[in-house]
Amino acid sequence: HVQLVESGGGSVQAGKSLRLSCAISGDSVRRVCTGWFRQYPGQARQTIATIASDGKTDYTDSTSGRFSISKDSAKNTLYLQVNNLSPEDTATYYCAASSRAPDYCFISRNHGDFLYWGQGTQVTVS
């Protein structure tokens, strides 16, 4: 059974940086497609970035530059570095993983393909 647990959220000042972590158990981060997503209140969840089992990354046009997705195989943990935070980044952030087609891991991938989700971590920027 695959479980994901996010951490690192909280309240931060605009202009600061934040690194979110997603600890994965039940499968290896080297064998799954993983991604970070965020959700504003009352809105659909949005993809931020994905990282394939082979390490290839993909970003949306709006997130490339300030956001950086990475993973540590030794710690079996996924990360999201966010720089120069703004109030518009205030949202709940989720990590997710899919063992299906782990190398087909793009921001265009359907959210329904991600079988495993974390509980979310709140980021508030003021």
Side-chain angles (χ1 to χ4, degrees):
H1 181 62
V2 179
Q3 290 187 310
L4 295 86
V5 178
E6 300 102 336
S7 61
S11 297
V12 294
Q13 291 183 327
K16 299 291 187 181
S17 298
L18 195 67
R19 189 176 79 161
L20 303 179
S21 300
C22 174
I24 300 173
S25 60
D27 205 341
S28 169
V29 72
R30 291 176 291 185
R31 302 198 308 178
V32 294
C33 163
T34 51
W36 282 99
F37 308 78
R38 65 181 174 185
Q39 188 169 24
Y40 300 108
Q43 297 188 25
R45 203 168 293 181
Q46 304 172 354
T47 306
I48 297 172
T50 58
I51 184 166
S53 57
D54 63 3
K56 291 180 182 175
T57 59
D58 196 19
Y59 298 88
T60 66
D61 289 342
S62 63
T63 60
S64 63
R66 289 197 303 119
F67 294 76
S68 178
I69 189 171
S70 62
K71 60 184 178 179
D72 185 327
S73 298
K75 296 181 179 180
N76 217 36
T77 299
L78 179 71
Y79 299 103
L80 181 69
Q81 177 75 30
V82 189
N83 298 323
N84 193 23
L85 283 155
S86 73
E88 289 69 37
D89 295 317
T90 295
T92 302
Y93 288 73
Y94 298 88
C95 60
S98 177
S99 55
R100 297 175 181 171
D103 287 342
Y104 183 79
C105 194
F106 305 103
I107 56 169
S108 58
R109 190 158 178 181
N110 193 304
H111 290 184
D113 287 346
F114 290 89
L115 302 179
Y116 310 105
W117 290 82
Q119 80 287 356
T121 186
Q122 177 67 35
V123 173
T124 303
V125 185
S126 59

